[in-house]
Amino acid sequence: MTNFETTRQQFDLPEGMIYLNGNSLGPMPKASVPAMTSFLNDEWRTELIKGWNTKNWFMQTNTLGDRVGRLIGAPEGTTVVGDTLSIKVFQAVAAGMAMVPDRRVILSDNGNFPTDLYMVEGLIKLKDAGYELRTPDPEDVMDSITEEVGVVMITEVDYRTGRRHDMKAIIEKAHAKGAVVVWDLAHSAGAVPVDVGGTDTDFAIGCTYKYLNGGPGAPAFIYVAPRLLETVEPFLSGWYGHEAPFAFDTDYRPMPGKIERMRIGTPSIASFALLSVALDIWDQVDMDEVHAKSVDLSELFIREVEARCPGLKLVSPRDPQARGSHVSFAFEHGYAAMQALIADNVIGDFRAPDVMRFGITPLFVNEADILGAVDKLERILKEERYKEERFQKRSLVT
């Protein structure tokens, strides 16, 4: 059984801070500092180039990938970490397009995270072969899956509202129509139970710096269904995915039949050290219990905000099973109100045009945090502190 007080004690949160932004950047595990010190002193400094063998740096893409894979229902040997999420979007969608070469439509939705759409737009330009990206409203995705569609690329949990797509239903319809499915799990991994194996997902991608707490710029991951590992085309054909990377052949041959073929270039071993200790915490928890606790805390937050904070409108689904692990409210002065909250040591974030977003992450957030955050939000609204001039200026990162 997951002990959330134990997991909370394993994070190094500043004294007095209520951190409701783990959906954007997870906090630092206390073990991060000794882990990085050990990497510097006991690995890089002493082993130098030997570390690729003596410290098994070369296969950490896979060993860490399997640990992430456990959190998304992936069988062993189907997930690797490395590169960035944008790169993994490109890689997965390109591979999916190659599986259905006679189809020219990539289907997403207009609530998807923009960079996913940007990457597909760039891929289409490279193809220059009549491809089309369609982005209906999220509610219309199911009806938009037709025989024209080659690849369905969807982020399971909407980054603004937290609305959750029905993964199983979309995959079943897409497969019935002959389409390939790419799932972005950036707001799912570590937030809600995911079963890529049980739902017969083709490809899944995601990041490890949000709920998984791997640190700023932590590596992304990619999952490929076992049935595809022999034939999937990597497209971004780097040395790390070569069949014989140290033969130094001048022609590229992907690693046959293994997830290694989806590796690209040399990964950051320093970032792997941070991700590893973050996953040590995740090794202690059960995702169903994490989700149940998230629902309890989210429901409390929604009740308290709606009772005490007039002017805020819930834009997340009211059904807790239809949303991820963040809760969003729209407010006319949302940006300024969030800056006032941050100044009062409650950290959430803002998404244009008017959405105040709050991550409910049970590994380190408890009931007292929820009530304390709403207390401060209620006072800010009542006193109209958000109208202060210092809260009007937009920072470079919002």
Side-chain angles (χ1 to χ4, degrees):
M1 185 172 181
T2 304
N3 187 326
F4 293 107
E5 282 307 309
T6 297
T7 60
R8 179 182 173 90
Q9 292 305 313
Q10 294 176 63
F11 289 95
D12 194 356
L13 286 162
E15 185 70 30
M17 177 182 287
I18 299 174
Y19 193 71
L20 302 180
N21 205 15
N23 55 299
S24 190
L25 176 65
M28 187 180 79
K30 289 178 180 177
S32 298
V33 173
M36 187 54 67
T37 300
S38 176
F39 166 73
L40 294 173
N41 289 333
D42 304 328
E43 297 191 27
W44 184 15
R45 183 178 68 86
T46 59
E47 299 302 288
L48 291 122
I49 195 68
K50 295 185 299 178
W52 289 101
N53 289 314
T54 61
K55 298 300 181 180
N56 200 32
W57 291 346
F58 191 72
M59 290 303 293
Q60 285 182 351
T61 48
N62 297 56
T63 55
L64 291 172
D66 282 337
R67 295 175 71 189
V68 172
R70 182 187 74 82
L71 299 173
I72 61 171
E76 189 171 326
T78 59
T79 308
V80 286
V81 295
D83 312 299
T84 67
L85 181 52
S86 296
I87 295 297
K88 293 308 181 193
V89 170
F90 187 100
Q91 192 179 25
V93 174
M97 291 165 69
M99 291 169 58
V100 281
D102 58 330
R103 299 194 182 194
R104 293 291 184 270
V105 174
I106 297 95
L107 177 68
S108 188
D109 68 66
N110 57 28
N112 203 346
F113 192 64
T115 198
D116 288 23
L117 306 180
Y118 302 159
M119 295 306 292
V120 173
E121 288 173 354
L123 178 56
I124 287 174
K125 288 179 182 177
L126 287 175
K127 288 285 188 180
D128 192 28
Y131 281 90
E132 174 190 355
L133 172 63
R134 293 180 185 171
T135 55
D137 292 338
E139 298 80 5
D140 296 332
V141 165
M142 282 290 285
D143 290 340
S144 301
I145 302 174
T146 66
E147 284 81 1
E148 294 179 285
V149 174
V151 178
V152 178
M153 179 198 66
I154 300 290
T155 298
E156 185 193 10
V157 176
D158 188 296
Y159 78 102
R160 281 197 185 95
T161 67
R163 179 189 183 276
R164 190 177 176 188
H165 279 287
D166 186 334
M167 177 185 286
K168 187 173 185 294
I170 288 178
I171 291 173
E172 287 178 352
K173 183 169 183 182
H175 285 176
K177 298 290 185 180
V180 177
V181 181
V182 175
W183 279 103
D184 185 337
L185 302 177
H187 286 276
S188 303
V192 295
V194 179
D195 186 8
V196 294
T199 54
D200 198 25
T201 302
D202 298 306
F203 300 93
I205 51 181
C207 58
T208 62
Y209 53 81
K210 298 181 188 293
Y211 293 96
L212 300 188
N213 312 298
F221 64 85
I222 185 167
Y223 160 84
V224 178
R227 57 186 161 78
L228 301 178
L229 286 176
E230 191 65 55
T231 57
V232 62
E233 294 189 46
F235 278 93
L236 293 173
S237 46
W239 79 278
Y240 222 76
H242 197 282
E243 178 184 13
F246 293 98
F248 301 111
D249 294 334
T250 54
D251 62 310
Y252 181 78
R253 302 186 311 278
M255 177 69 76
K258 293 184 178 181
I259 190 62
E260 283 94 311
R261 70 196 288 133
M262 302 307 280
R263 304 190 305 190
I264 303 172
T266 308
S268 168
I269 304 302
S271 71
F272 283 177
L274 295 177
L275 177 59
S276 181
V277 294
L279 292 175
D280 287 344
I281 301 176
W282 281 102
D283 289 344
Q284 305 167 35
V285 307
D286 177 90
M287 271 310 306
D288 288 327
E289 293 173 355
V290 171
H291 184 231
K293 187 66 173 178
S294 168
V295 168
D296 290 344
L297 294 172
S298 299
E299 292 292 280
L300 174 64
F301 185 71
I302 291 169
R303 286 197 304 272
E304 292 292 319
V305 169
E306 291 190 325
R308 297 159 55 189
C309 301
L312 271 65
K313 178 185 177 183
L314 180 69
V315 293
S316 295
R318 196 164 292 279
D319 177 3
Q321 301 306 319
R323 63 175 184 258
S325 199
H326 67 270
V327 174
S328 297
F329 284 88
F331 180 51
E332 180 184 1
H333 306 285
Y335 179 80
M338 183 56 73
Q339 302 318 299
L341 259 181
I342 292 170
D344 211 0
N345 230 8
V346 176
I347 315 297
D349 66 7
F350 170 82
R351 289 294 176 261
D354 59 0
V355 173
M356 301 176 70
R357 197 172 64 156
F358 303 89
I360 312 297
T361 45
L363 265 61
F364 55 86
V365 172
N366 59 23
E367 184 175 308
D369 293 326
I370 297 296
L371 296 175
V374 180
D375 286 344
K376 292 188 176 186
L377 179 58
E378 181 183 21
R379 284 197 296 272
I380 287 168
L381 296 175
K382 191 172 292 184
E383 298 168 8
E384 296 188 335
R385 263 188 267 166
Y386 57 84
K387 291 184 177 179
E388 294 178 24
E389 185 176 348
R390 60 183 172 139
F391 300 136
Q392 310 306 313
K393 183 179 178 182
R394 298 286 176 113
S395 299
L396 181 63
V397 178
T398 61

